[in-house]
Amino acid sequence: MILSPSLLSANFSRLAEELQALEAAGVTWLHLDVMDGAYVPNITFGPPLIKALRPGSGLFFDVHLMVQDPSRYIRNFRDAGADMLVIHAEADRHPQRTLSAIREMGCKAGVALNPGTDLGAIRWLINDMDMLLLMSVNPGFSGQAFIPATFDKIRAARSLMDACGGEDVLIQVDGGVCPENTAQLVEAGADVLVSGSAFFGHKPYGARLAAFMKPLEGRQTRPALQVAALWQPSGHFNV
Ligand code: DX5
Ligand code: ZN
């Protein structure tokens, strides 16, 4: 499992220090929640913040775009230093086109689905994506309660993708993740877990990362996840 802490719950007045502390603790990914106030009822940050953080960080920037018509902005996020761009299937009229454009720019591409969106939305996108993000809360805010139906959705998503040539596509789960549910999530088929409030409130981060990983001891890692664990910041950014 890869843990991707969500920047949204970090101390915004000390972001550079927070990122350094994450790396020192052994964290490898950072989840960046971009909200536009239109697709979701909240506003966070955009490319300038990512650009400011990029030079000081070796973390893999996993950028979750909760933005209407994300194709308008993918170039800006890529230039700012994003390594993976995840678009919401519900927010894009032509997701296949956007995913292809993201990959052509040298970024990894992902699709996010809200709790109520059926997996049929990604059935014909499986070969165009590197990761499926299953929302386990409704997007917009950290600190919400995990929706239990997600467990069955993860199992169904893994079966669907394995049956359709998508064995290498990762499954990420986002919302309400905590050390108490990591084992069940990974058991169901999750590869990458996002955590905001259950991670950042608890220092030191090394011990907190260990608390998320401990329930998984002794489990086999999927080959696709072993490959993904080697993904590095691609260095394509113009900073
Ligand atoms: C929700 C965001 C999540 C959120 C997770 O819209 O996409 O990434 O920050 O926060 P927690 O882990 O607190 O649910
Ligand atoms: Zn997110």
Side-chain angles (χ1 to χ4, degrees):
M1 184 267 276
I2 294 172
L3 185 75
S4 192
S6 165
L7 184 74
L8 205 50
S9 295
N11 180 346
F12 270 40
S13 71
R14 295 177 174 268
L15 285 181
E17 287 165 43
E18 289 275 62
L19 266 57
Q20 283 163 12
L22 291 176
E23 272 190 81
V27 167
T28 53
W29 283 35
L30 181 71
H31 185 83
L32 297 117
D33 284 308
V34 177
M35 304 188 191
D36 67 350
Y39 179 62
V40 287
N42 197 3
I43 297 175
T44 56
F45 52 80
L49 183 93
I50 296 175
K51 187 172 177 175
L53 295 174
R54 183 74 276 179
S57 179
L59 295 167
F60 182 82
F61 282 7
D62 146 34
V63 179
H64 180 190
L65 296 175
M66 285 161 276
V67 168
Q68 191 60 43
D69 299 326
S71 61
R72 295 177 292 165
Y73 303 109
I74 55 176
R75 170 71 56 183
N76 303 58
F77 281 102
R78 180 260 197 202
D79 287 349
D83 298 303
M84 172 178 282
L85 290 172
V86 181
I87 60 165
H88 268 263
E90 306 90 346
D92 193 331
R93 198 166 289 165
H94 303 290
Q96 198 282 338
R97 177 186 289 156
T98 309
L99 292 169
S100 300
I102 291 170
R103 281 182 158 179
E104 272 168 32
M105 286 182 223
C107 287
K108 301 291 182 193
V111 179
L113 299 181
N114 287 329
T117 304
D118 192 75
L119 292 172
I122 55 110
R123 168 61 186 91
W124 303 104
L125 299 174
I126 290 171
N127 296 323
D128 299 297
M129 57 201 264
D130 301 292
M131 191 175 80
L132 169 64
L133 189 175
L134 295 178
M135 290 302 302
S136 39
V137 298
N138 288 292
F141 304 94
S142 53
Q144 303 180 80
F146 180 87
I147 297 172
T150 311
F151 291 121
D152 282 344
K153 196 172 185 184
I154 298 167
R155 275 186 278 272
R158 188 71 272 156
S159 312
L160 174 69
M161 295 198 293
D162 288 351
C164 300
E167 297 88 348
D168 294 343
V169 180
L170 303 181
I171 295 181
Q172 181 179 70
V173 178
D174 184 8
V177 174
C178 58
E180 290 69 35
N181 59 21
T182 55
Q184 219 181 331
L185 287 166
V186 170
E187 184 75 27
D191 298 304
V192 183
L193 298 180
V194 174
S195 177
S197 52
F199 184 86
F200 277 98
H202 307 78
K203 285 186 176 172
Y205 295 147
R208 197 56 178 162
L209 176 62
F212 275 83
M213 302 306 277
K214 185 143 183 46
L216 312 174
E217 273 172 12
R219 271 165 219 271
Q220 268 202 318
T221 307
R222 292 203 314 121
L225 188 55
Q226 290 169 20
V227 173
L230 302 174
W231 291 352
Q232 296 286 333
S234 44
H236 50 238
F237 34 89
N238 303 329
V239 288

mmCIF file of all heavy atoms in Angstrom, residues 4-9 31-35 40 42 64 66 88 133 135-146 172-178 194-199 212, ligand 1:
data_model
loop_
_atom_site.group_PDB
_atom_site.id
_atom_site.type_symbol
_atom_site.label_atom_id
_atom_site.label_comp_id
_atom_site.label_asym_id
_atom_site.label_seq_id
_atom_site.Cartn_x
_atom_site.Cartn_y
_atom_site.Cartn_z
ATOM 1 N N SER A 4 -0.937 8.272 0.695
ATOM 2 C CA SER A 4 -0.811 9.593 0.079
ATOM 3 C C SER A 4 -1.511 10.607 0.989
ATOM 4 O O SER A 4 -2.721 10.822 0.889
ATOM 5 C CB SER A 4 -1.434 9.557 -1.326
ATOM 6 O OG SER A 4 -1.116 10.703 -2.063
ATOM 7 N N PRO A 5 -0.775 11.235 1.909
ATOM 8 C CA PRO A 5 -1.410 12.195 2.822
ATOM 9 C C PRO A 5 -1.960 13.397 2.050
ATOM 10 O O PRO A 5 -1.331 13.889 1.105
ATOM 11 C CB PRO A 5 -0.256 12.623 3.748
ATOM 12 C CG PRO A 5 0.745 11.517 3.656
ATOM 13 C CD PRO A 5 0.655 11.037 2.236
ATOM 14 N N SER A 6 -3.135 13.854 2.464
ATOM 15 C CA SER A 6 -3.771 14.977 1.772
ATOM 16 C C SER A 6 -3.329 16.304 2.378
ATOM 17 O O SER A 6 -3.593 16.584 3.554
ATOM 18 C CB SER A 6 -5.295 14.858 1.855
ATOM 19 O OG SER A 6 -5.876 16.101 1.494
ATOM 20 N N LEU A 7 -2.734 17.113 1.527
ATOM 21 C CA LEU A 7 -2.204 18.419 1.947
ATOM 22 C C LEU A 7 -3.256 19.295 2.629
ATOM 23 O O LEU A 7 -2.926 20.149 3.449
ATOM 24 C CB LEU A 7 -1.662 19.145 0.704
ATOM 25 C CG LEU A 7 -0.973 20.487 0.931
ATOM 26 C CD1 LEU A 7 0.404 20.261 1.551
ATOM 27 C CD2 LEU A 7 -0.832 21.269 -0.367
ATOM 28 N N LEU A 8 -4.513 19.052 2.287
ATOM 29 C CA LEU A 8 -5.605 19.859 2.805
ATOM 30 C C LEU A 8 -5.631 19.899 4.332
ATOM 31 O O LEU A 8 -6.089 20.880 4.919
ATOM 32 C CB LEU A 8 -6.922 19.263 2.284
ATOM 33 C CG LEU A 8 -8.149 20.130 2.162
ATOM 34 C CD1 LEU A 8 -7.835 21.414 1.427
ATOM 35 C CD2 LEU A 8 -9.241 19.352 1.433
ATOM 36 N N SER A 9 -5.141 18.864 4.965
ATOM 37 C CA SER A 9 -5.165 18.815 6.430
ATOM 38 C C SER A 9 -3.835 19.232 7.054
ATOM 39 O O SER A 9 -3.676 19.157 8.275
ATOM 40 C CB SER A 9 -5.542 17.409 6.906
ATOM 41 O OG SER A 9 -6.862 17.105 6.517
ATOM 42 N N HIS A 31 -0.982 13.961 -1.733
ATOM 43 C CA HIS A 31 -2.270 14.134 -2.408
ATOM 44 C C HIS A 31 -2.673 15.606 -2.304
ATOM 45 O O HIS A 31 -2.755 16.161 -1.210
ATOM 46 C CB HIS A 31 -3.297 13.239 -1.711
ATOM 47 C CG HIS A 31 -4.647 13.203 -2.341
ATOM 48 N ND1 HIS A 31 -4.962 12.385 -3.416
ATOM 49 C CD2 HIS A 31 -5.794 13.864 -2.036
ATOM 50 C CE1 HIS A 31 -6.239 12.556 -3.730
ATOM 51 N NE2 HIS A 31 -6.764 13.452 -2.920
ATOM 52 N N LEU A 32 -2.908 16.237 -3.456
ATOM 53 C CA LEU A 32 -3.224 17.668 -3.467
ATOM 54 C C LEU A 32 -4.652 17.858 -3.969
ATOM 55 O O LEU A 32 -4.950 17.569 -5.137
ATOM 56 C CB LEU A 32 -2.217 18.405 -4.357
ATOM 57 C CG LEU A 32 -0.768 18.305 -3.838
ATOM 58 C CD1 LEU A 32 0.125 17.575 -4.820
ATOM 59 C CD2 LEU A 32 -0.193 19.683 -3.557
ATOM 60 N N ASP A 33 -5.528 18.316 -3.083
ATOM 61 C CA ASP A 33 -6.951 18.446 -3.382
ATOM 62 C C ASP A 33 -7.263 19.828 -3.932
ATOM 63 O O ASP A 33 -7.300 20.814 -3.194
ATOM 64 C CB ASP A 33 -7.763 18.215 -2.105
ATOM 65 C CG ASP A 33 -7.833 16.749 -1.727
ATOM 66 O OD1 ASP A 33 -8.204 15.938 -2.598
ATOM 67 O OD2 ASP A 33 -7.515 16.419 -0.575
ATOM 68 N N VAL A 34 -7.539 19.875 -5.238
ATOM 69 C CA VAL A 34 -7.861 21.144 -5.886
ATOM 70 C C VAL A 34 -9.379 21.250 -6.030
ATOM 71 O O VAL A 34 -10.004 20.388 -6.643
ATOM 72 C CB VAL A 34 -7.187 21.218 -7.280
ATOM 73 C CG1 VAL A 34 -7.585 22.497 -7.993
ATOM 74 C CG2 VAL A 34 -5.678 21.097 -7.149
ATOM 75 N N MET A 35 -9.954 22.284 -5.440
ATOM 76 C CA MET A 35 -11.420 22.473 -5.486
ATOM 77 C C MET A 35 -11.733 23.856 -6.039
ATOM 78 O O MET A 35 -11.101 24.841 -5.637
ATOM 79 C CB MET A 35 -12.011 22.335 -4.089
ATOM 80 C CG MET A 35 -11.673 21.008 -3.416
ATOM 81 S SD MET A 35 -12.567 20.807 -1.877
ATOM 82 C CE MET A 35 -11.734 19.368 -1.189
ATOM 83 N N VAL A 40 -17.420 21.338 -6.705
ATOM 84 C CA VAL A 40 -17.642 21.000 -5.295
ATOM 85 C C VAL A 40 -17.858 22.303 -4.512
ATOM 86 O O VAL A 40 -17.379 23.352 -4.928
ATOM 87 C CB VAL A 40 -16.435 20.224 -4.688
ATOM 88 C CG1 VAL A 40 -16.387 18.804 -5.198
ATOM 89 C CG2 VAL A 40 -15.126 20.946 -4.959
ATOM 90 N N ASN A 42 -16.547 24.004 -2.244
ATOM 91 C CA ASN A 42 -15.418 24.462 -1.447
ATOM 92 C C ASN A 42 -14.335 24.938 -2.420
ATOM 93 O O ASN A 42 -14.306 24.513 -3.586
ATOM 94 C CB ASN A 42 -14.877 23.299 -0.594
ATOM 95 C CG ASN A 42 -13.990 23.765 0.539
ATOM 96 O OD1 ASN A 42 -13.801 24.966 0.763
ATOM 97 N ND2 ASN A 42 -13.420 22.821 1.259
ATOM 98 N N HIS A 64 -5.552 15.794 -7.263
ATOM 99 C CA HIS A 64 -6.962 15.423 -7.387
ATOM 100 C C HIS A 64 -7.759 16.669 -7.785
ATOM 101 O O HIS A 64 -7.954 17.566 -6.965
ATOM 102 C CB HIS A 64 -7.416 14.860 -6.022
ATOM 103 C CG HIS A 64 -8.841 14.437 -5.966
ATOM 104 N ND1 HIS A 64 -9.459 14.100 -4.772
ATOM 105 C CD2 HIS A 64 -9.786 14.275 -6.926
ATOM 106 C CE1 HIS A 64 -10.716 13.762 -5.012
ATOM 107 N NE2 HIS A 64 -10.947 13.870 -6.307
ATOM 108 N N MET A 66 -10.875 18.430 -8.355
ATOM 109 C CA MET A 66 -12.324 18.513 -8.153
ATOM 110 C C MET A 66 -12.780 19.823 -8.788
ATOM 111 O O MET A 66 -13.111 20.817 -8.129
ATOM 112 C CB MET A 66 -12.643 18.448 -6.653
ATOM 113 C CG MET A 66 -12.479 17.032 -6.114
ATOM 114 S SD MET A 66 -12.313 16.953 -4.330
ATOM 115 C CE MET A 66 -10.568 17.273 -4.166
ATOM 116 N N HIS A 88 -12.362 14.065 -12.437
ATOM 117 C CA HIS A 88 -13.630 13.406 -12.116
ATOM 118 C C HIS A 88 -14.379 13.089 -13.400
ATOM 119 O O HIS A 88 -14.582 13.978 -14.240
ATOM 120 C CB HIS A 88 -14.488 14.301 -11.205
ATOM 121 C CG HIS A 88 -14.259 14.016 -9.760
ATOM 122 N ND1 HIS A 88 -15.074 13.192 -9.023
ATOM 123 C CD2 HIS A 88 -13.266 14.404 -8.928
ATOM 124 C CE1 HIS A 88 -14.606 13.097 -7.785
ATOM 125 N NE2 HIS A 88 -13.512 13.834 -7.698
ATOM 126 N N LEU A 133 -9.576 6.476 -8.831
ATOM 127 C CA LEU A 133 -9.786 7.001 -7.481
ATOM 128 C C LEU A 133 -11.244 6.786 -7.113
ATOM 129 O O LEU A 133 -12.135 7.341 -7.757
ATOM 130 C CB LEU A 133 -9.429 8.501 -7.440
ATOM 131 C CG LEU A 133 -9.368 9.208 -6.081
ATOM 132 C CD1 LEU A 133 -8.888 10.640 -6.274
ATOM 133 C CD2 LEU A 133 -10.659 9.219 -5.329
ATOM 134 N N MET A 135 -13.981 7.594 -4.529
ATOM 135 C CA MET A 135 -14.293 8.474 -3.394
ATOM 136 C C MET A 135 -15.097 7.677 -2.368
ATOM 137 O O MET A 135 -16.105 7.051 -2.709
ATOM 138 C CB MET A 135 -15.115 9.681 -3.851
ATOM 139 C CG MET A 135 -14.383 10.705 -4.707
ATOM 140 S SD MET A 135 -12.925 11.430 -3.937
ATOM 141 C CE MET A 135 -13.612 12.156 -2.440
ATOM 142 N N SER A 136 -14.647 7.746 -1.123
ATOM 143 C CA SER A 136 -15.369 7.051 -0.042
ATOM 144 C C SER A 136 -16.073 8.062 0.867
ATOM 145 O O SER A 136 -16.566 7.718 1.936
ATOM 146 C CB SER A 136 -14.415 6.165 0.745
ATOM 147 O OG SER A 136 -13.163 6.779 0.928
ATOM 148 N N VAL A 137 -16.107 9.326 0.405
ATOM 149 C CA VAL A 137 -16.965 10.385 0.970
ATOM 150 C C VAL A 137 -17.395 11.210 -0.245
ATOM 151 O O VAL A 137 -16.832 11.050 -1.325
ATOM 152 C CB VAL A 137 -16.211 11.307 1.968
ATOM 153 C CG1 VAL A 137 -15.704 10.532 3.170
ATOM 154 C CG2 VAL A 137 -15.075 12.069 1.287
ATOM 155 N N ASN A 138 -18.354 12.090 -0.066
ATOM 156 C CA ASN A 138 -18.677 13.019 -1.164
ATOM 157 C C ASN A 138 -17.630 14.121 -1.172
ATOM 158 O O ASN A 138 -17.272 14.651 -0.107
ATOM 159 C CB ASN A 138 -20.080 13.565 -0.985
ATOM 160 C CG ASN A 138 -21.117 12.501 -1.284
ATOM 161 O OD1 ASN A 138 -21.279 12.080 -2.428
ATOM 162 N ND2 ASN A 138 -21.779 12.015 -0.252
ATOM 163 N N PRO A 139 -17.087 14.448 -2.359
ATOM 164 C CA PRO A 139 -15.945 15.360 -2.391
ATOM 165 C C PRO A 139 -16.305 16.771 -1.928
ATOM 166 O O PRO A 139 -17.429 17.219 -2.103
ATOM 167 C CB PRO A 139 -15.543 15.356 -3.873
ATOM 168 C CG PRO A 139 -16.776 14.969 -4.604
ATOM 169 C CD PRO A 139 -17.521 14.034 -3.699
ATOM 170 N N GLY A 140 -15.327 17.432 -1.332
ATOM 171 C CA GLY A 140 -15.528 18.822 -0.907
ATOM 172 C C GLY A 140 -14.873 19.148 0.418
ATOM 173 O O GLY A 140 -14.407 20.266 0.604
ATOM 174 N N PHE A 141 -14.793 18.171 1.309
ATOM 175 C CA PHE A 141 -14.283 18.468 2.650
ATOM 176 C C PHE A 141 -13.545 17.268 3.227
ATOM 177 O O PHE A 141 -13.927 16.120 2.965
ATOM 178 C CB PHE A 141 -15.442 18.837 3.582
ATOM 179 C CG PHE A 141 -16.262 19.980 3.072
ATOM 180 C CD1 PHE A 141 -17.402 19.744 2.317
ATOM 181 C CD2 PHE A 141 -15.862 21.290 3.296
ATOM 182 C CE1 PHE A 141 -18.148 20.803 1.798
ATOM 183 C CE2 PHE A 141 -16.604 22.353 2.784
ATOM 184 C CZ PHE A 141 -17.744 22.105 2.036
ATOM 185 N N SER A 142 -12.526 17.556 4.020
ATOM 186 C CA SER A 142 -11.895 16.473 4.769
ATOM 187 C C SER A 142 -12.663 16.292 6.075
ATOM 188 O O SER A 142 -13.511 17.113 6.437
ATOM 189 C CB SER A 142 -10.424 16.788 5.016
ATOM 190 O OG SER A 142 -10.299 18.040 5.614
ATOM 191 N N GLY A 143 -12.376 15.191 6.759
ATOM 192 C CA GLY A 143 -12.995 14.950 8.064
ATOM 193 C C GLY A 143 -14.386 14.340 8.022
ATOM 194 O O GLY A 143 -15.074 14.307 9.039
ATOM 195 N N GLN A 144 -14.824 13.838 6.868
ATOM 196 C CA GLN A 144 -16.154 13.220 6.787
ATOM 197 C C GLN A 144 -16.065 11.714 7.077
ATOM 198 O O GLN A 144 -15.002 11.110 6.995
ATOM 199 C CB GLN A 144 -16.731 13.418 5.387
ATOM 200 C CG GLN A 144 -16.841 14.863 4.937
ATOM 201 C CD GLN A 144 -17.437 14.956 3.532
ATOM 202 O OE1 GLN A 144 -18.637 14.863 3.330
ATOM 203 N NE2 GLN A 144 -16.570 15.135 2.532
ATOM 204 N N ALA A 145 -17.214 11.134 7.373
ATOM 205 C CA ALA A 145 -17.260 9.706 7.709
ATOM 206 C C ALA A 145 -17.171 8.840 6.456
ATOM 207 O O ALA A 145 -17.815 9.119 5.432
ATOM 208 C CB ALA A 145 -18.549 9.398 8.456
ATOM 209 N N PHE A 146 -16.410 7.774 6.551
ATOM 210 C CA PHE A 146 -16.222 6.789 5.481
ATOM 211 C C PHE A 146 -17.559 6.121 5.130
ATOM 212 O O PHE A 146 -18.319 5.737 6.015
ATOM 213 C CB PHE A 146 -15.216 5.744 5.980
ATOM 214 C CG PHE A 146 -14.919 4.669 4.988
ATOM 215 C CD1 PHE A 146 -13.912 4.835 4.039
ATOM 216 C CD2 PHE A 146 -15.621 3.473 5.013
ATOM 217 C CE1 PHE A 146 -13.628 3.827 3.126
ATOM 218 C CE2 PHE A 146 -15.348 2.465 4.101
ATOM 219 C CZ PHE A 146 -14.341 2.640 3.160
ATOM 220 N N GLN A 172 -7.129 3.821 -5.894
ATOM 221 C CA GLN A 172 -6.915 4.726 -4.761
ATOM 222 C C GLN A 172 -8.259 4.955 -4.068
ATOM 223 O O GLN A 172 -9.278 5.084 -4.737
ATOM 224 C CB GLN A 172 -6.349 6.062 -5.262
ATOM 225 C CG GLN A 172 -6.064 7.078 -4.156
ATOM 226 C CD GLN A 172 -5.473 8.380 -4.711
ATOM 227 O OE1 GLN A 172 -6.171 9.144 -5.371
ATOM 228 N NE2 GLN A 172 -4.199 8.622 -4.467
ATOM 229 N N VAL A 173 -8.229 5.019 -2.765
ATOM 230 C CA VAL A 173 -9.449 5.307 -1.988
ATOM 231 C C VAL A 173 -9.210 6.579 -1.199
ATOM 232 O O VAL A 173 -8.143 6.766 -0.588
ATOM 233 C CB VAL A 173 -9.802 4.119 -1.059
ATOM 234 C CG1 VAL A 173 -11.027 4.447 -0.216
ATOM 235 C CG2 VAL A 173 -10.051 2.861 -1.884
ATOM 236 N N ASP A 174 -10.219 7.466 -1.211
ATOM 237 C CA ASP A 174 -10.048 8.820 -0.668
ATOM 238 C C ASP A 174 -11.270 9.223 0.156
ATOM 239 O O ASP A 174 -12.376 9.324 -0.378
ATOM 240 C CB ASP A 174 -9.861 9.782 -1.859
ATOM 241 C CG ASP A 174 -9.585 11.208 -1.432
ATOM 242 O OD1 ASP A 174 -9.380 11.462 -0.237
ATOM 243 O OD2 ASP A 174 -9.566 12.077 -2.338
ATOM 244 N N GLY A 175 -11.030 9.459 1.455
ATOM 245 C CA GLY A 175 -12.091 9.963 2.324
ATOM 246 C C GLY A 175 -12.354 9.045 3.507
ATOM 247 O O GLY A 175 -12.702 7.872 3.336
ATOM 248 N N GLY A 176 -12.113 9.557 4.701
ATOM 249 C CA GLY A 176 -12.410 8.774 5.897
ATOM 250 C C GLY A 176 -11.499 7.596 6.145
ATOM 251 O O GLY A 176 -11.852 6.668 6.877
ATOM 252 N N VAL A 177 -10.307 7.612 5.527
ATOM 253 C CA VAL A 177 -9.353 6.514 5.732
ATOM 254 C C VAL A 177 -8.603 6.736 7.046
ATOM 255 O O VAL A 177 -8.230 7.869 7.374
ATOM 256 C CB VAL A 177 -8.357 6.433 4.541
ATOM 257 C CG1 VAL A 177 -7.267 5.403 4.812
ATOM 258 C CG2 VAL A 177 -9.095 6.119 3.245
ATOM 259 N N CYS A 178 -8.399 5.657 7.789
ATOM 260 C CA CYS A 178 -7.687 5.751 9.073
ATOM 261 C C CYS A 178 -7.045 4.390 9.360
ATOM 262 O O CYS A 178 -7.347 3.409 8.668
ATOM 263 C CB CYS A 178 -8.654 6.141 10.189
ATOM 264 S SG CYS A 178 -10.036 4.991 10.377
ATOM 265 N N VAL A 194 -5.556 7.569 0.593
ATOM 266 C CA VAL A 194 -5.394 8.992 0.903
ATOM 267 C C VAL A 194 -5.851 9.196 2.348
ATOM 268 O O VAL A 194 -6.853 8.627 2.766
ATOM 269 C CB VAL A 194 -6.272 9.849 -0.035
ATOM 270 C CG1 VAL A 194 -6.236 11.324 0.379
ATOM 271 C CG2 VAL A 194 -5.825 9.677 -1.476
ATOM 272 N N SER A 195 -5.111 10.000 3.083
ATOM 273 C CA SER A 195 -5.602 10.367 4.413
ATOM 274 C C SER A 195 -5.284 11.818 4.720
ATOM 275 O O SER A 195 -4.143 12.266 4.556
ATOM 276 C CB SER A 195 -4.985 9.475 5.494
ATOM 277 O OG SER A 195 -5.441 9.924 6.761
ATOM 278 N N GLY A 196 -6.308 12.531 5.161
ATOM 279 C CA GLY A 196 -6.147 13.927 5.554
ATOM 280 C C GLY A 196 -6.157 14.057 7.059
ATOM 281 O O GLY A 196 -5.130 14.011 7.730
ATOM 282 N N SER A 197 -7.364 14.154 7.625
ATOM 283 C CA SER A 197 -7.495 14.446 9.051
ATOM 284 C C SER A 197 -6.926 13.349 9.953
ATOM 285 O O SER A 197 -6.395 13.647 11.015
ATOM 286 C CB SER A 197 -8.961 14.699 9.387
ATOM 287 O OG SER A 197 -9.765 13.640 8.920
ATOM 288 N N ALA A 198 -7.014 12.100 9.537
ATOM 289 C CA ALA A 198 -6.514 11.026 10.414
ATOM 290 C C ALA A 198 -4.993 10.927 10.380
ATOM 291 O O ALA A 198 -4.397 10.216 11.191
ATOM 292 C CB ALA A 198 -7.119 9.683 10.003
ATOM 293 N N PHE A 199 -4.364 11.624 9.427
ATOM 294 C CA PHE A 199 -2.900 11.585 9.366
ATOM 295 C C PHE A 199 -2.283 12.819 10.003
ATOM 296 O O PHE A 199 -1.447 12.715 10.918
ATOM 297 C CB PHE A 199 -2.426 11.445 7.912
ATOM 298 C CG PHE A 199 -0.926 11.312 7.821
ATOM 299 C CD1 PHE A 199 -0.318 10.073 7.934
ATOM 300 C CD2 PHE A 199 -0.115 12.445 7.667
ATOM 301 C CE1 PHE A 199 1.067 9.951 7.913
ATOM 302 C CE2 PHE A 199 1.264 12.330 7.634
ATOM 303 C CZ PHE A 199 1.863 11.083 7.750
ATOM 304 N N PHE A 212 -0.519 3.374 10.034
ATOM 305 C CA PHE A 212 -1.333 3.032 8.852
ATOM 306 C C PHE A 212 -0.849 1.722 8.220
ATOM 307 O O PHE A 212 -1.633 0.975 7.650
ATOM 308 C CB PHE A 212 -1.266 4.160 7.813
ATOM 309 C CG PHE A 212 -2.243 5.270 8.045
ATOM 310 C CD1 PHE A 212 -1.968 6.293 8.944
ATOM 311 C CD2 PHE A 212 -3.453 5.315 7.367
ATOM 312 C CE1 PHE A 212 -2.867 7.335 9.169
ATOM 313 C CE2 PHE A 212 -4.368 6.347 7.572
ATOM 314 C CZ PHE A 212 -4.072 7.354 8.479
HETATM 315 C C1 DX5 B 1 -12.303 15.261 -0.088
HETATM 316 C C2 DX5 B 1 -10.861 15.177 -0.501
HETATM 317 C C3 DX5 B 1 -10.060 14.261 0.362
HETATM 318 C C4 DX5 B 1 -9.951 14.699 1.790
HETATM 319 C C5 DX5 B 1 -9.594 13.534 2.665
HETATM 320 O O1 DX5 B 1 -13.021 15.997 -1.010
HETATM 321 O O2 DX5 B 1 -10.770 14.703 -1.829
HETATM 322 O O3 DX5 B 1 -8.782 14.019 -0.195
HETATM 323 O O4 DX5 B 1 -9.010 15.716 1.965
HETATM 324 O O5 DX5 B 1 -9.691 13.913 4.001
HETATM 325 P P1 DX5 B 1 -10.037 12.881 5.152
HETATM 326 O O6 DX5 B 1 -8.978 11.814 5.135
HETATM 327 O O7 DX5 B 1 -10.011 13.723 6.386
HETATM 328 O O8 DX5 B 1 -11.394 12.297 4.853
#
